[in-house]
Amino acid sequence: MTTISVRAPRRRTFAVALPRLRRIAPLLLILALQSAVSLSLRNTAYQDEALYLFAGRQYFDYYFRGGPPPTEFYATYFSGLPQIYPLLAGALDVFGGLEAARFLNLASMLIATISVYFVAKSLFGRPSAVAAAALFSIQGSVLFLGRLATYDALSIAFVGLATLLCLRASTSRTPLPALALGVMLMAAAATKYVGLLFAPSILAILAIRTWQYHGRRQAIQRTGLAICTMVALVGGLLAVDPSLLAGLAFTTTQRVAFLSLSRPELFVRAVLLCGPLVVLGAIGLLINRTTSLLLALVLFGSSLLPSAYHIYSTEAVSMEKHVAFGMLFAAPLAGNALARLMAEQRGRFIGMRWLAGLAICVVLFGTGVERAHTFMTNWPDNSTLVHVLRTQMRGGVSRILVEESEVPRYYMQDMTYYWEWFNLYFFEYRDDPKGRGLHGVEAYKAAIDDGYFDLIVLRYGFSKKIAEEIDGGVRDGTHYELVAKVPYTTTSFGPGTYYVYRKRGGT
């Protein structure tokens, strides 16, 4: 009997994978650079970060550890569903602290960059995709959001994935991906309500692309399916928790400007934040020969929505974060413009054109890094203040008034309770045995005169007006003594000082 041996073919996994790796190597380098710059940003927790992580810990303990319900109705004033980002970030914070929570945001912004790459590749080709991802990743707002533990990054990631899924649903043989698109749009809007602003744009892209590939009937069917899915999910959320409407109105649809600026001032700020990318996007729109003009117009118009919203509402707060949503839509067009500029052509000025494109990237990178560091130093480094407060937590200290209490409350969860902290946003004080209630400045003044607070911390920052109205009863030395001055220099608005007062008679 003759045995015939057959040699198995040599595996060529590496040989097959190498070309693929080379194709995505530019994207991997872009993601690595974006990660390195974002991770270089340093500061203690921002006020919003501290609030969301504190709330997220409460939700995590309630859902998974059998703890008590959350202490506040967060849904009535949070700008997103508390059970999405705060819960996820709070869970990471429980096990890894602030850095772990911030890592979720870095991962989210990397996903957004990947989405920009594949959207641009689908619409304009691979060279435009590389340029688009590079331009998006070096924006100051994008780098900053990769280190800020707030809703924005995760919502941006969902918007980017929804845009990518929209392109997939428009070319699919079946309308089923439109269902997934509806879910993704709901996730983007529920994570942060401003994400709802971009749902019409993404649905318009779906309709336009589907019409091109499958005709009018399929365009109507798939767009309607995505809309119905999203509406059904949103309706279900509101049925479960009607208080979400209050949060939506308070933070988004009927928002009262906290830091109002004139419209010309906000226009100038918008130009500084995203002007170069939008200009490149406009050039990409004008020279577009690859995709539908109507679709390109939708992309460009969507890139202007965040700036238009802030200019219209005269609200300056969070503008540096919200413009990153618009950059998702401007980047593919801008990448098209940059790729066309740097394209190899026969002629005398090949090298000059390539160097011009590289110079644009270098300038925007330097500006983006500088701006990201500026954003990250908008608030004081609170590490020294927290240390000082820890030394004062003795002798029955149980009521602490801090101009912005969220940050020290977050860092001192191991030795204080939530009900021990007060801030300058809202306060009600019972002034007499009959229960006559005082509110606002009068309540603070009465409580200070009675020595109600054990510790008081003022810095004359965002709530400077109220602090100046009530500080007379603190500085006169009758009930309180100054125990520490804590200077800080990290803010982009200049240096300042925390003044820490302790009630007289404390030990």
Side-chain angles (χ1 to χ4, degrees):
M1 181 176 182
T2 303
T3 303
I4 301 176
S5 61
V6 180
R7 179 181 294 180
R10 299 177 63 180
R11 293 187 177 181
R12 298 187 178 184
T13 305
F14 180 76
V16 173
L18 186 59
R20 295 178 180 175
L21 184 61
R22 287 176 178 171
R23 284 196 292 270
I24 65 170
L27 175 61
L28 295 177
L29 290 174
I30 290 168
L31 297 176
L33 180 61
Q34 179 182 347
S35 301
V37 176
S38 287
L39 290 172
S40 71
L41 305 178
R42 291 283 187 273
N43 204 346
T44 53
Y46 179 51
Q47 183 181 0
D48 289 351
E49 289 182 292
L51 174 61
Y52 300 151
L53 295 180
F54 185 83
R57 277 176 169 257
Q58 291 187 343
Y59 279 105
F60 180 77
D61 289 340
Y62 176 60
Y63 288 132
F64 300 104
R65 291 181 169 180
T71 57
E72 297 182 45
F73 296 105
Y74 294 111
T76 62
Y77 68 94
F78 272 15
S79 56
L81 197 67
Q83 291 86 354
I84 300 181
Y85 178 81
L87 177 60
L88 291 174
L92 291 172
D93 182 65
V94 167
F95 297 107
L98 176 63
E99 289 302 313
R102 284 177 169 174
F103 183 78
L104 171 62
N105 291 68
L106 176 59
S108 298
M109 293 312 296
L110 295 178
I111 290 173
T113 301
I114 294 170
S115 299
V116 166
Y117 175 87
F118 284 105
V119 167
K121 183 181 178 182
S122 176
L123 296 178
F124 303 110
R126 184 172 174 273
S128 297
V130 174
L135 289 171
F136 177 78
S137 69
I138 60 179
Q139 299 300 311
S141 296
V142 171
L143 296 169
F144 170 56
L145 289 178
R147 284 290 283 170
L148 189 71
T150 60
Y151 302 100
D152 304 87
L154 185 59
S155 183
I156 288 173
F158 282 137
V159 171
L161 290 173
T163 307
L164 186 58
L165 186 57
C166 160
L167 298 179
R168 174 70 180 87
S170 65
T171 58
S172 172
R173 293 182 178 180
T174 68
L176 292 180
L179 287 171
L181 175 60
V183 175
M184 194 66 71
L185 288 173
M186 188 281 297
T191 301
K192 183 162 185 173
Y193 300 138
V194 73
L196 187 63
L197 186 64
F198 303 94
S201 299
I202 295 173
L203 291 169
I205 294 173
L206 173 64
I208 294 168
R209 287 267 290 186
T210 305
W211 195 317
Q212 291 176 330
Y213 280 86
H214 300 288
R216 181 178 60 182
R217 182 176 179 181
Q218 282 292 315
I220 295 173
Q221 182 185 49
R222 298 185 186 198
T223 306
L225 187 60
I227 292 174
C228 290
T229 303
M230 180 182 176
V231 170
L233 292 172
V234 172
L237 284 176
L238 294 178
V240 172
D241 189 358
S243 64
L244 295 175
L245 281 176
L248 176 63
F250 179 75
T251 64
T252 309
T253 58
Q254 300 177 20
R255 181 185 178 98
V256 177
F258 287 96
L259 181 58
S260 182
L261 294 178
S262 68
R263 290 190 172 95
E265 288 177 303
L266 288 170
F267 176 79
V268 171
R269 179 172 292 196
V271 170
L272 294 175
L273 288 173
C274 57
L277 191 67
V278 171
V279 169
L280 282 173
I283 296 173
L285 171 66
L286 293 174
I287 65 175
N288 168 51
R289 297 293 184 272
T290 308
T291 191
S292 163
L293 176 61
L294 183 58
L295 191 152
L297 284 170
V298 171
L299 287 175
F300 184 74
S302 302
S303 72
L304 304 177
L305 288 177
S307 298
Y309 169 79
H310 280 271
I311 293 171
Y312 171 78
S313 63
T314 69
E315 172 65 277
V317 173
S318 295
M319 188 175 187
E320 72 280 3
K321 298 186 297 181
H322 292 164
V323 293
F325 284 87
M327 291 174 180
L328 276 173
F329 298 91
L333 292 169
N336 182 40
L338 187 62
R340 291 281 295 275
L341 172 65
M342 299 177 70
E344 294 185 4
Q345 296 179 1
R346 294 182 180 180
R348 184 177 178 182
F349 301 103
I350 295 176
M352 293 300 295
R353 292 181 60 175
W354 192 89
L355 288 175
L358 182 62
I360 291 173
C361 291
V362 171
V363 170
L364 290 181
F365 175 72
T367 304
V369 172
E370 180 183 6
R371 191 159 290 147
H373 280 278
T374 300
F375 293 153
M376 200 68 183
T377 56
N378 274 341
W379 64 92
D381 183 327
N382 288 282
S383 54
T384 304
L385 173 65
V386 172
H387 174 73
V388 170
L389 290 179
R390 285 183 178 276
T391 66
Q392 297 297 315
M393 298 303 295
R394 64 184 189 277
V397 171
S398 62
R399 290 186 289 269
I400 312 162
L401 175 65
V402 185
E403 196 164 321
E404 292 140 354
S405 62
E406 292 87 354
V407 176
R409 181 183 68 175
Y410 165 74
Y411 280 110
M412 298 174 66
Q413 293 177 79
D414 59 328
M415 59 188 308
T416 61
Y417 297 100
Y418 72 91
W419 47 263
E420 296 179 308
W421 296 91
F422 301 86
N423 53 46
L424 295 188
Y425 300 131
F426 174 80
F427 181 61
E428 182 178 359
Y429 186 64
R430 300 297 180 184
D431 190 49
D432 57 38
K434 296 181 179 180
R436 180 170 59 90
L438 296 176
H439 302 272
V441 172
E442 295 304 318
Y444 290 114
K445 287 182 176 180
I448 290 171
D449 289 341
D450 292 344
Y452 179 76
F453 303 110
D454 297 306
L455 287 174
I456 297 178
V457 182
L458 301 176
R459 80 173 181 99
Y460 305 95
F462 187 77
S463 302
K464 178 180 178 180
K465 182 177 180 181
I466 297 178
E468 290 177 338
E469 290 187 66
I470 67 174
D471 68 352
V474 179
R475 291 187 291 107
D476 65 4
T478 303
H479 298 293
Y480 296 89
E481 59 179 334
L482 181 66
V483 295
K485 291 183 179 180
V486 183
Y488 58 83
T489 59
T490 58
T491 71
S492 58
F493 299 103
T497 303
Y498 284 105
Y499 298 89
V500 183
Y501 296 89
R502 184 179 177 90
K503 186 168 66 175
R504 288 189 177 276
T507 57

